[in-house]
């Protein structure tokens, strides 16, 4: 977990203090999480996962780094994705990818305005 916390924080270019402030905790507490000196409570783990837009499983190392590239699924008829029990068409999958890309772009612009 220690390395993942540090990587997630550095990817966002946040200092230890900024991260601690976003979580509403002391800088020393958060630094203790990254160094392994302290272990976050379950509630704190959930807050950290939400802040970094990830899962508690990922933070704890229960999720692997095995990723599925969604854009590759449009050309792969062997994978069938569903939402609410209904299969996604190729067009819906393309729309989904477009939606995520636009949302990420808007989030990046918002973060740049805050900086």
């Amino acid at each position: 977990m220690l390395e993942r916390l540090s990587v997630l924080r550095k990817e966002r270019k946040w200092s230890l203090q900024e991260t601690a402030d976003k979580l509403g905790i002391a800088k020393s507490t958060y630094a203790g999480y990254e160094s392994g000196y302290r272990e976050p409570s379950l509630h704190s783990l959930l807050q950290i996962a939400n802040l970094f837009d990830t899962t508690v499983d990922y933070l704890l190392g229960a999720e692997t780094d095995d990723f599925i590239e969604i854009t590759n699924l449009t050309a792969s008829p062997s994978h069938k994705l569903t939402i609410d029990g209904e299969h996604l068409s190729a067009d819906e999958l393309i729309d989904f990818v477009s939606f995520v890309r636009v949302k990420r772009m808007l989030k990046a612009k918002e973060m740049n305005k805050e900086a």
Side-chain angles (χ1 to χ4, degrees):
M1 176 176 78
L2 318 174
E3 186 176 326
R4 289 183 180 198
L5 285 178
S6 179
V7 167
L8 289 167
R9 178 179 58 80
K10 289 175 182 176
E11 283 176 350
R12 286 157 180 79
K13 297 182 173 125
W14 294 343
S15 67
L16 288 168
Q17 185 65 60
E18 288 173 307
T19 307
D21 289 346
K22 290 176 187 293
L23 292 167
I25 59 175
K27 176 184 171 185
S28 60
T29 300
Y30 182 78
Y33 297 161
E34 279 196 17
S35 70
Y37 177 75
R38 300 181 78 124
E39 288 190 12
S41 67
L42 292 176
H43 177 73
S44 295
L45 271 175
L46 185 57
Q47 287 183 306
I48 293 167
N50 288 336
L51 176 67
F52 288 125
D53 196 26
T54 190
T55 65
V56 171
D57 281 350
Y58 176 78
L59 293 177
L60 295 176
E63 260 181 42
T64 65
D65 288 340
D66 294 336
F67 296 102
I68 296 172
E69 178 60 41
I70 291 177
T71 55
N72 293 339
L73 297 177
T74 57
S76 174
S78 64
H79 291 93
K80 295 190 181 295
L81 298 177
T82 62
I83 293 180
D84 299 328
E86 292 185 42
H87 291 282
L88 285 174
S89 68
D91 286 342
E92 288 174 323
L93 189 55
I94 290 167
D95 289 345
F96 175 76
V97 170
S98 298
F99 171 80
V100 171
R101 286 178 176 160
V102 168
K103 187 164 179 161
R104 286 179 177 173
M105 181 183 67
L106 292 173
K107 188 174 183 179
K109 284 183 181 180
E110 185 178 305
M111 289 177 70
N112 286 335
K113 285 182 184 178
E114 292 175 2

